[in-house]
Amino acid sequence: MSASGSLGLSDIDVLVLSVRDRESRRLIGEAITAYRGGALRSALMSTWIAVAYDIIAKTRELAGQGEAAPREFVKELDDAIEANNKRKLQTIEAELLTKSNNDLQLLVPHEYSALARLQKDRHLCAHPAFVVEDELYQPSPELVRTHIVHALKYLLVHAPLQGKSAIARFDSDLLSASFPVTAEEISTFLRSKYLDRAKDVLVINLVKAIVSAPFGAEHAKYTSKIRTLALTLREIAKAKTEIYDSVMPGYVAEKLEHVTDEVLLSICPFLENDPRIWDWLREPERVRIRRLLDTSDVETLKTYAAFDAFAIAQLSEVLLNRFDGFDETAQISIIVEHPRKEFIGRGLKMYARAGSFRHAERLGQSIVLPLAKWFSHVDVKVVLKAVSDNEQIWKAAGTPGILKQLFDQTTPLLSKSRPHWEAFVQEQIQMSGDTLGYYAYPGLQKRLGLNP
């Protein structure tokens, strides 16, 4: 018995509640009732009926969405029903699983294998005349329960995933407010809802749809989702590496060849998540991207997350030159919206030059803290020196709070940064003359275990 079949009855009841189609739920309920009553052959046959019905129901759903193969199957089925062609209907049922696997793309290989065993056992139960009396087939309770669980987990509880309808569903998910934003959450979401049951063709179509979205006629609706799209593509690449690597090089090169300057920089977040894309592009597109990075205004660069192109060594100098060419207000806005380790040196120099209390607080919040996740212990030392050397920073009312946040964000560096923090606090204590005073940084003293 497989692991899937080891679920208890209460677990099966939970699965039944998740069955999408009402009639499918009723049919599998009949199978479970028969199983509990000890009518094992009836339970097994009822499970097959639920599977066959659900495949046809899902196929009709896909046909209604305009999918070609499902429409062809539904027409063939309805014609046979109308003509009362029993032989044809028997053939359709006999080939139902094969059809759903090969043409309708409702199953993945291991699901097909499990349901094919159900179909075989159903035949043994439904045709007792085909065996001698001494060998009358009697399925075990464990086998029947396994078939019920497989029917539920592999088919009945799932929406049909295929072709355009699956892509449309993914698009709706992506644009919703509830779509995950972290790599881990996106990976879990994709695997459970799409990839774990996906045919190769669905993965291919997803890759192409994600690459195409920011560059097509409806590119505007994806502007705020470019980074999410790029991160999602990266997670698909991890889960389906062989398919991704076979599709992407040719497709992304061909796709970007026809993209207008207006949206070409949307490729930058994709470069961040897979730098190989730069090598897959044709030289004319690489030339165009370099030119756009060198000439676009700051709002355009931010809108398309162009600073993500730091991932490509050939583009780093271009981006740093552009950053240096903007005024401080623009530079701060870039760091706030697109913090990167490449900005640490420049950002900390800005912080050290703070010319007023409020300016120091603003720079601490908008530059120091956003960049802190990339700090080394040396960067922590630079920040603390800037505070000590510039009274506009250390006398700013918000600085103690900013430094407490910085301490918390850089805790992993504490083995090397502790001497810098302790020296800074001791200096402030001496300057304030009061170990408990606000500018003696009691919050940092407590974190360092230095409280008197």
Side-chain angles (χ1 to χ4, degrees):
M1 182 175 62
S2 72
S4 296
S6 63
L7 294 177
L9 288 178
S10 60
D11 300 304
I12 291 176
D13 290 333
V14 171
L15 285 174
V16 170
L17 295 176
S18 301
V19 174
R20 298 172 67 253
D21 185 274
R22 181 181 300 177
E23 183 63 14
S24 297
R25 191 185 310 127
R26 185 185 69 79
L27 291 170
I28 198 66
E30 289 181 357
I32 294 170
T33 299
Y35 167 78
R36 285 171 168 156
L40 300 180
R41 280 192 293 269
S42 295
L44 203 151
M45 292 171 62
S46 295
T47 302
W48 169 253
I49 291 171
V51 165
Y53 172 83
D54 199 71
I55 288 174
I56 292 171
K58 283 181 167 61
T59 304
R60 290 189 182 279
E61 183 178 341
L62 290 170
Q65 296 168 359
E67 297 286 354
R71 288 177 65 181
E72 181 180 340
F73 174 83
V74 167
K75 184 178 185 308
E76 180 183 18
L77 175 63
D78 288 344
D79 287 347
I81 293 173
E82 185 176 353
N84 196 27
N85 188 336
K86 292 183 174 62
R87 186 174 296 275
K88 179 64 175 178
L89 290 170
Q90 288 173 342
T91 300
I92 289 174
E93 182 185 5
E95 298 175 350
L96 189 59
L97 279 181
T98 303
K99 192 86 171 177
S100 65
N101 184 58
N102 296 338
D103 299 338
L104 304 176
Q105 301 174 5
L106 293 174
L107 305 170
V108 294
H110 73 278
E111 295 168 346
Y112 169 76
S113 297
L115 296 179
R117 289 192 292 272
L118 166 64
Q119 186 181 34
K120 179 181 178 180
D121 290 345
R122 175 267 177 190
H123 291 338
L124 292 175
C125 292
H127 304 292
F130 291 172
V131 295
V132 297
E133 184 176 352
D134 292 343
E135 298 175 352
L136 188 62
Y137 183 65
Q138 178 61 49
S140 68
E142 293 77 14
L143 178 65
V144 174
R145 185 172 65 245
T146 296
H147 282 317
I148 291 173
V149 170
H150 285 165
L152 286 163
K153 293 187 67 176
Y154 293 163
L155 183 67
L156 272 62
V157 301
H158 296 294
L161 285 179
Q162 195 230 34
K164 292 182 293 185
S165 59
I167 301 302
R169 190 176 300 115
F170 170 78
D171 189 66
S172 177
D173 286 337
L174 173 75
L175 295 174
S176 70
S178 61
F179 193 80
V181 294
T182 68
E184 183 178 358
E185 291 173 338
I186 289 173
S187 176
T188 300
F189 180 88
L190 287 175
R191 288 176 182 272
S192 61
K193 190 164 184 179
Y194 293 96
L195 300 182
D196 286 349
R197 304 181 63 251
K199 290 274 191 171
D200 289 357
V201 66
L202 175 56
V203 179
I204 292 170
N205 288 339
L206 271 176
V207 168
K208 290 182 176 180
I210 290 170
V211 172
S212 300
F215 308 110
E218 297 183 293
H219 63 84
K221 72 179 184 179
Y222 299 104
T223 301
S224 64
K225 292 282 189 174
I226 296 174
R227 279 181 154 172
T228 303
L229 282 165
L231 194 56
T232 300
L233 188 65
R234 189 183 76 182
E235 295 308 310
I236 292 177
K238 290 179 181 179
K240 301 289 183 179
T241 304
E242 185 176 348
I243 298 174
Y244 175 88
D245 286 349
S246 68
V247 172
M248 270 294 289
Y251 186 75
V252 74
E254 180 182 356
K255 183 67 184 178
L256 264 71
E257 185 177 15
H258 307 288
V259 169
T260 65
D261 287 353
E262 179 188 6
V263 292
L264 182 57
L265 287 182
S266 293
I267 196 62
C268 293
F270 292 89
L271 298 177
E272 166 81 2
N273 285 280
D274 188 353
R276 295 177 301 168
I277 292 175
W278 180 253
D279 298 322
W280 295 336
L281 298 180
R282 295 169 181 145
E283 185 58 24
E285 280 58 68
R286 291 198 288 262
V287 170
R288 292 173 61 207
I289 291 169
R290 282 192 289 261
R291 178 63 177 165
L292 288 170
L293 290 175
D294 201 32
T295 58
S296 298
D297 60 49
V298 65
E299 292 305 320
T300 299
L301 294 175
K302 289 191 299 182
T303 295
Y304 295 105
F307 290 97
D308 287 357
F310 270 116
I312 308 303
Q314 300 96 308
L315 302 179
S316 294
E317 185 177 355
V318 176
L319 290 168
L320 285 175
N321 286 339
R322 292 310 314 282
F323 182 86
D324 291 340
F326 296 126
D327 61 29
E328 183 178 287
T329 300
Q331 290 176 342
I332 293 172
S333 72
I334 291 170
I335 293 175
V336 168
E337 296 179 38
H338 303 285
R340 296 190 60 86
K341 63 180 180 181
E342 290 86 356
F343 296 140
I344 289 175
R346 287 162 169 80
L348 296 190
K349 286 180 181 178
M350 275 192 279
Y351 183 58
R353 296 194 302 264
S356 70
F357 299 151
R358 302 293 81 80
H359 190 210
E361 291 165 350
R362 185 162 74 95
L363 292 176
Q365 291 289 350
S366 60
I367 290 181
V368 175
L369 296 180
L371 294 175
K373 63 180 177 181
W374 291 289
F375 275 10
S376 68
H377 72 96
V378 175
D379 298 318
V380 173
K381 183 179 181 180
V382 170
V383 170
L384 297 178
K385 187 175 187 308
V387 176
S388 296
D389 291 349
N390 188 338
E391 68 174 13
Q392 299 299 328
I393 303 178
W394 69 261
K395 283 187 175 180
T399 295
I402 290 169
L403 292 187
K404 282 194 294 184
Q405 292 182 65
L406 177 62
F407 185 94
D408 294 340
Q409 288 182 226
T410 59
T411 299
L413 304 174
L414 197 55
S415 62
K416 293 184 177 181
S417 66
R418 175 179 284 275
H420 310 320
W421 286 107
E422 291 180 346
F424 171 79
V425 170
Q426 292 298 340
E427 180 183 7
Q428 301 308 309
I429 291 174
Q430 291 175 9
M431 292 176 63
S432 67
D434 180 3
T435 58
L436 300 178
Y438 184 76
Y439 290 105
Y441 295 87
L444 289 179
Q445 292 186 54
K446 182 177 181 180
R447 282 163 169 75
L448 291 165
L450 299 177
N451 283 47

